[in-house]
Amino acid sequence: MEEDIKPDKKINIKGLVCPYTFVKAKLAVEDMEVGQVIEILLDYEEASRSIPKSMEDHGQKVLKVEKINDTDWILLIRKEKE
Amino acid sequence: MEFTEDQLQRYSRHIILPEVGGKGQRKLLHAKVFIVGAGGLGCPVGYYLAAAGVGTIGMVDNDTVELSNLQRQIAHSTKTLGIHKVDSAKATFEALNPDIKVVGIKDRISKDNIKDLIKNYDIVVDGSDNFPTRYLVNDACVMLKKPLVSGAILKFEGQVTTILPGEGHCYRCLFEEMPPPGLVPSCQEAGVIGAIPGVVGSLQAIEVVKLILGKGDVLKNTLLIYDALKTTFRRVKVPKNPHCPVCGDNPTITELRDYDAEYCRI
């Protein structure tokens, strides 16, 4: 099922570290409509754990956290609330 | 409005808060706050609002920096002795944050200028050190329906309250008339611990930030009293008085008067 989800927006935050990883991700989500999905590409390992946690704390839905190669992760987040 | 990379870094600890975010930070950057007095309270209020990125900060004060101010008035320094307080504070705040603009007014606030001074601002902060100004600011804010965050300090004590005209109490609901001259001593006569205005001014700054963001509960219908000797905060309920002479159902004060002159004549 997850594989079918097409993101409405993609951002690449490789090279960024916390808290700017979350700052960028959060601002991108703010600009979306409720129900839309964002794909986030990152290479800072800590953010692969902290962004999903913070997004859930803020009421958003984490659809996927996947390590795609030695350095990078992809997150899929659905906006659930403003 | 897109944030610059510098702004993302500067405001990152705001933006990651659920209650602020990019939207809240933009509200702060577009907000206009007027501070009465660039002294003990005006310094920390202005300092934190400048740091928070409150876009326009107006300040009125007619005094120059004196050595006796520096024990508590943290926007000024030994290097700015003799300079107008609003110029000294403007330089400090704009050095902290070049995003913001400080409009300094070297004048005494009076019944004749107060409405013009505050009319283009969203929120007013009272950091004055005397009763005539406190009542003048209250009455003008009630008449213009401007939210007012009022603070007062003396010795080891501080008070904060937030006045939302039409919604909650005003200063005259709390104390209808000024105390007679001499009954309440001034800081000049009685002294004050330097960090007291820091505590009270910080509380005022947070009230302002919450009003701008539209988040949380402010001190509406409430007076917060800080006792530094006991290290206690006490909340006192202040209901809106329907017979209040300025914000009640049938107000008797409908225009501003020169309270200063009246006060000194008594």
Side-chain angles (χ1 to χ4, degrees), chain B residues 32-35 55-61 86-87 90 93-94 100-106 117 121:
Chain B
K32 296 178 172 184
V33 178
F34 191 85
I35 304 172
T56 307
I57 298 172
M59 280 194 120
V60 62
D61 201 308
V86 291
D87 290 337
K90 177 183 167 74
F93 300 160
E94 291 182 348
I100 63 139
K101 189 177 81 174
V102 177
V103 181
I105 296 125
K106 295 163 212 163
L117 288 176
Y121 287 85

Side-chain angles (χ1 to χ4, degrees), chain B residues 118-131:
Chain B
I118 67 174
K119 70 180 179 196
N120 293 325
Y121 287 85
D122 307 316
I123 299 166
V124 178
V125 176
D126 185 9
S128 67
D129 61 355
N130 64 83
F131 286 103

Side-chain angles (χ1 to χ4, degrees), chain B:
Chain B
M1 183 205 110
E2 287 292 314
F3 293 109
T4 64
E5 284 303 314
D6 279 358
Q7 286 177 321
L8 286 183
Q9 292 189 27
R10 182 182 288 273
Y11 306 119
S12 59
R13 269 56 170 185
H14 273 169
I15 293 170
I16 60 182
L17 289 168
E19 292 82 1
V20 186
K23 283 178 190 160
Q25 189 58 50
R26 283 186 197 97
K27 285 184 186 172
L28 290 167
L29 286 163
H30 289 125
K32 296 178 172 184
V33 178
F34 191 85
I35 304 172
V36 179
L41 292 170
C43 285
V45 173
Y47 225 142
Y48 272 116
L49 295 183
V54 170
T56 307
I57 298 172
M59 280 194 120
V60 62
D61 201 308
N62 204 30
D63 290 343
T64 54
V65 179
E66 295 175 20
L67 202 46
S68 64
N69 303 146
L70 301 184
Q71 160 257 20
R72 64 196 178 283
Q73 299 184 16
I74 56 168
H76 314 309
S77 80
T78 313
K79 285 183 182 156
T80 61
L81 286 172
I83 291 174
H84 268 280
K85 286 185 180 179
V86 291
D87 290 337
S88 168
K90 177 183 167 74
T92 302
F93 300 160
E94 291 182 348
L96 175 65
N97 190 350
D99 279 350
I100 63 139
K101 189 177 81 174
V102 177
V103 181
I105 296 125
K106 295 163 212 163
D107 202 350
R108 271 192 74 82
I109 201 160
S110 73
K111 72 174 177 28
D112 300 316
N113 65 12
I114 186 168
K115 284 186 177 176
D116 275 341
L117 288 176
I118 67 174
K119 70 180 179 196
N120 293 325
Y121 287 85
D122 307 316
I123 299 166
V124 178
V125 176
D126 185 9
S128 67
D129 61 355
N130 64 83
F131 286 103
T133 305
R134 189 170 299 282
Y135 280 79
L136 178 69
V137 172
N138 176 75
D139 294 356
C141 285
V142 169
M143 288 173 193
L144 294 184
K145 298 197 164 28
K146 295 279 180 195
L148 166 64
V149 180
S150 185
I153 52 166
L154 192 66
K155 297 183 190 177
F156 284 84
E157 223 183 90
Q159 301 180 351
V160 191
T161 190
T162 295
I163 291 160
L164 302 178
E167 288 184 40
H169 78 299
C170 85
Y171 206 78
R172 284 190 191 271
C173 298
L174 183 58
F175 306 111
E176 193 169 314
E177 294 296 334
M178 286 182 248
L183 184 70
V184 180
S186 67
C187 288
Q188 210 174 334
E189 296 157 348
V192 62
I193 291 289
I196 296 278
V199 173
V200 172
S202 299
L203 287 165
Q204 287 179 283
I206 294 174
E207 290 288 287
V208 170
V209 167
K210 289 188 298 179
L211 286 171
I212 293 169
L213 295 175
K215 298 288 179 186
D217 300 315
V218 293
L219 290 166
K220 184 173 81 169
N221 293 332
T222 307
L223 178 71
L224 182 69
I225 300 171
Y226 170 53
D227 182 332
L229 283 177
K230 294 184 186 144
T231 322
T232 56
F233 284 93
R234 199 154 53 90
R235 290 170 67 98
V236 179
K237 286 251 174 244
V238 185
K240 181 167 163 50
N241 175 9
H243 306 295
C244 173
V246 68
C247 81
D249 299 335
N250 298 296
T252 52
I253 299 169
T254 52
E255 60 183 53
L256 298 173
R257 295 189 307 245
D258 197 352
Y259 304 113
D260 220 3
E262 284 170 29
Y263 201 62
C264 295
R265 227 184 291 126
I266 299 173

